[in-house]
Amino acid sequence: MNREGAPGKSPEEMYIQQKVRVLLMLRKMGSNLTANEEEFLRTYAGVVNSQLSQLPQHSIDQGESIDQGE
C-alpha cells in the first residue's frame, strides 16, 4: 500500500506538482524566484495552471487588522 501517493500518480508527478505549488506560493508572497525556478514553472505550465486554480484567493496577511465591528 502506498500511503503517500495519490492513486494513479507517479512519485515524479507528485514531486512536480508539489514543487510547482510551493514556487507559486512563494511568488504570491512576494519572493523573487531564481531563473531556474522560473524556467521550471514555464516548463510545467499545465501544472501551473492547475495549481493556480487551487491556491487560496485571499491575499496573504500583510499586517492588516480585522475590523472588530466598532
Side-chain angles (χ1 to χ4, degrees):
M1 176 197 274
N2 186 356
R3 299 175 71 196
E4 296 182 26
K9 291 202 176 193
S10 72
E12 183 178 3
E13 290 171 317
M14 292 297 297
Y15 167 78
I16 291 167
Q17 186 176 22
Q18 290 173 355
K19 184 172 179 176
V20 165
R21 188 170 177 84
V22 169
L23 291 175
L24 290 174
M25 285 190 283
L26 285 170
R27 183 196 281 168
K28 187 170 185 167
M29 290 188 310
S31 295
N32 292 325
L33 301 181
T34 66
N36 286 341
E37 292 165 338
E38 291 288 353
E39 179 63 28
F40 184 88
L41 290 177
R42 281 191 295 276
T43 300
Y44 295 101
V47 177
V48 169
N49 291 331
S50 170
Q51 290 299 311
L52 279 174
S53 66
Q54 295 178 26
L55 288 178
Q57 296 303 311
H58 59 81
S59 61
I60 302 299
D61 182 42
Q62 300 287 327
E64 300 169 2
S65 62
I66 298 173
D67 184 7
Q68 299 292 326
E70 295 175 23

